[in-house]
Amino acid sequence: QQQQQQQKRRQEDQQPEQVPQGARQRERGQLRHQQHQARAVEQSDTAAAPRADVLFSVLLPLLDKLGKPSDGASRSGSGAALPSPDTPPSRLTPMGQRRRAAKPPNMPTRKTELYENCRLLAPDGATLCTCGRKKIQWYIERGLAELVCSEPPCARLIFEPRGRGNADDEYYLADKLNRCCVCGFAGDYLRHSVVPHCYRSLFPQCMKSHMSHDVLLLCQACQQVCGRADQARMAQLGERYGAPLEAASKKFELDYAAGGAKSAARALTGPRAGSLPPDRRAALEATVLSHFAADVLSAELLARACALQDKAPAPGWRSHAHVVVSALLAEPGGRGIEDFVRGWRAHFLEAMRPRFLPPHWSIDSRVANSAAPQAEGRQESQVVGPQKSQAEGHQGSQADRQQDLQAEGQQGPLAEGQQESQAEGQQGSQADR
């Protein structure tokens, strides 16, 4: 036995010492920690002398906020100008690249180009407006215009229009590029209303018809940044006009008892009604019965419960935009709505500092289209005076129809000779056209 024990001890001495699994993991963790510390020390040594591009990446956002040039002019003092509109997106400043990297993935973007820069000319050759290819094709197919140039498409009307369109506004006659007006990114972009759509939809018709000055293109990232700035300004307007944005949650009055009965009835008639536990089914049935004060649950009662209306419009509720626009239109002189639009334009320039705006875009550009004064009156009555009676609107429509009849010369029956002369005149006018 002593010999066996001695032999066993010799074998144990000859075998290597076994390390527990936990000890090995601790050793590996300590080794990785030491390597990480050594790497951090090396990086701190190399960062002691920062490179010029690292400094510029920090200073460029500050210079952009201060409105100073953020390109080679501020770096080397060589007098280089700001990035030209033709600068490719890959050479934009780090700010523009950072905005594109932070864009949300699921924002809807345009599938086609917004600006096609086609031109429509008057019979004397004066440019009336820029438009899309579909409008040019529409005039040509109906024989109202003739094609002057195929690329880019340009058509000349063969009749004298009632007005000269936008011939007096250089913004609507200039060519525009399909890119973000803030950073110049020419990829995915979408339409952005400088004046938020909730206000613009309530404007008089003369401020919306053929007025695209305040509709610009933004990339997804810039749209997200501008949306936050617009929300802050809308909150300030809500405090000024007594229309807080939180009032949108009070649009409906909720009936919680009806909502509970409706939800219980849907659960009892749904596809999983057979798998409900007995106690849960009993609670749902009790909810429906207590709402209708009934003793027996029937299929007709469940159908009535499923059709319950659990919310109703709050009486006298008006949206934030409706309160603000109504107050602006009620101001004497009509200057309130114009100052409101120009204030949003100034806000857009201050918040986003766009560098690629379309040519001739200006804060002081016209706000309304003077070619539609009658539409303005109709829209104004819809926004400001919803309390007007329907009888006044009916009388107004009758008066408009009478004026149209008088303008057309339909004041009474015509004699035979007058009818013949009128028919000949109509044929001659058709031939002229």
Side-chain angles (χ1 to χ4, degrees):
Q1 292 177 357
Q2 291 178 358
Q3 291 177 358
Q4 290 177 357
Q5 290 178 358
Q6 291 177 359
Q7 185 178 2
K8 187 176 181 180
R9 290 172 185 167
R10 294 193 196 96
Q11 293 177 357
E12 290 178 354
D13 294 339
Q14 293 177 358
Q15 291 180 356
E17 183 178 1
Q18 296 182 358
V19 182
Q21 186 70 18
R24 290 184 178 179
Q25 293 179 354
R26 287 194 297 270
E27 290 178 357
R28 292 175 182 173
Q30 292 176 358
L31 180 61
R32 285 196 298 268
H33 182 65
Q34 294 175 0
Q35 294 176 353
H36 178 71
Q37 287 182 342
R39 195 179 300 111
V41 170
E42 293 177 359
Q43 292 179 356
S44 62
D45 293 339
T46 57
R51 297 178 301 173
D53 55 352
V54 177
L55 293 176
F56 287 136
S57 64
V58 177
L59 294 176
L60 282 176
L62 299 178
L63 294 176
D64 187 69
K65 291 182 179 180
L66 295 174
K68 297 180 180 180
S70 57
D71 60 342
S74 61
R75 300 177 191 175
S76 60
S78 59
L82 287 172
S84 63
D86 300 330
T87 304
S90 59
R91 298 182 182 179
L92 293 178
T93 59
M95 177 173 290
Q97 296 174 1
R98 183 165 58 255
R99 285 175 180 170
R100 291 200 300 274
K103 65 181 180 182
N106 295 325
M107 291 184 67
T109 57
R110 291 188 60 86
K111 302 297 186 294
T112 59
E113 293 183 348
L114 178 62
Y115 304 121
E116 294 180 329
N117 299 320
C118 304
R119 296 186 180 277
L120 193 63
L121 307 180
D124 58 357
T127 303
L128 297 177
C129 64
T130 57
C131 58
R133 296 177 181 269
K134 289 185 178 180
K135 179 167 288 189
I136 295 291
Q137 190 67 23
W138 186 90
Y139 278 100
I140 294 176
E141 289 177 353
R142 287 159 178 78
L144 301 176
E146 57 184 5
L147 187 64
V148 177
C149 179
S150 59
E151 191 62 36
C154 179
R156 181 172 59 245
L157 300 178
I158 61 176
F159 66 93
E160 185 63 33
R162 288 182 297 178
R164 286 288 171 168
N166 299 316
D168 58 341
D169 196 331
E170 296 181 352
Y171 173 80
Y172 293 96
L173 302 182
D175 292 341
K176 304 172 183 63
L177 299 178
N178 292 279
R179 62 182 179 187
C180 176
C181 67
V182 176
C183 64
F185 180 58
D188 297 333
Y189 48 79
L190 48 92
R191 287 161 54 103
H192 171 74
S193 295
V194 176
V195 182
H197 183 72
C198 61
Y199 303 119
R200 182 181 171 87
S201 62
L202 299 175
F203 282 178
Q205 188 63 26
C206 64
M207 301 181 65
K208 298 184 295 183
S209 176
H210 298 85
M211 293 294 297
S212 60
H213 180 274
D214 297 327
V215 179
L216 301 173
L217 290 178
L218 291 183
C219 65
Q220 295 176 337
C222 294
Q223 168 70 18
Q224 190 178 18
V225 175
C226 190
R228 290 195 293 265
D230 290 350
Q231 285 292 322
R233 179 173 171 80
M234 290 173 65
Q236 297 176 359
L237 292 173
E239 295 178 358
R240 183 189 306 176
Y241 292 98
L245 296 177
E246 294 78 9
S249 59
K250 301 178 182 179
K251 182 177 181 179
F252 297 99
E253 292 182 349
L254 301 180
D255 188 349
Y256 295 100
K262 182 178 181 180
S263 177
R266 287 185 174 181
L268 292 172
T269 57
R272 299 183 180 179
S275 61
L276 291 174
D279 53 348
R280 177 60 178 167
R281 175 179 290 275
L284 295 175
E285 292 176 354
T287 301
V288 178
L289 292 174
S290 62
H291 180 75
F292 290 98
D295 298 331
V296 180
L297 186 66
S298 61
E300 181 182 359
L301 191 65
L302 288 175
R304 288 175 55 191
C306 291
L308 287 174
Q309 298 294 333
D310 55 350
K311 65 179 181 179
W317 180 87
R318 295 197 303 169
S319 65
H320 160 83
H322 195 282
V323 174
V324 174
V325 176
S326 299
L328 292 171
L329 293 176
E331 294 183 6
R335 296 290 303 176
I337 193 71
E338 295 184 6
D339 296 339
F340 179 76
V341 173
R342 292 191 172 94
W344 275 103
R345 293 174 180 175
H347 161 76
F348 177 76
L349 293 181
E350 182 180 358
M352 302 303 296
R353 297 194 177 277
R355 297 177 296 159
F356 302 91
L357 282 172
H360 308 291
W361 195 94
S362 173
I363 295 178
D364 299 327
S365 181
R366 63 179 180 175
V367 174
N369 185 1
S370 58
Q374 296 179 358
E376 178 180 359
R378 288 196 295 270
Q379 183 72 12
E380 203 167 302
S381 62
Q382 294 175 3
V383 176
V384 181
Q387 299 85 6
K388 289 186 178 181
S389 62
Q390 297 180 356
E392 295 179 359
H394 183 65
Q395 293 175 1
S397 61
Q398 286 182 349
D400 294 339
R401 283 195 291 270
Q402 291 177 1
Q403 293 178 1
D404 294 340
L405 292 175
Q406 293 176 3
E408 295 175 2
Q410 300 176 357
Q411 299 178 357
L414 298 175
E416 183 176 358
Q418 293 177 345
Q419 292 179 358
E420 292 177 358
S421 62
Q422 184 178 4
E424 293 176 358
Q426 290 179 356
Q427 291 177 2
S429 62
Q430 289 179 359
D432 294 339
R433 284 196 291 269

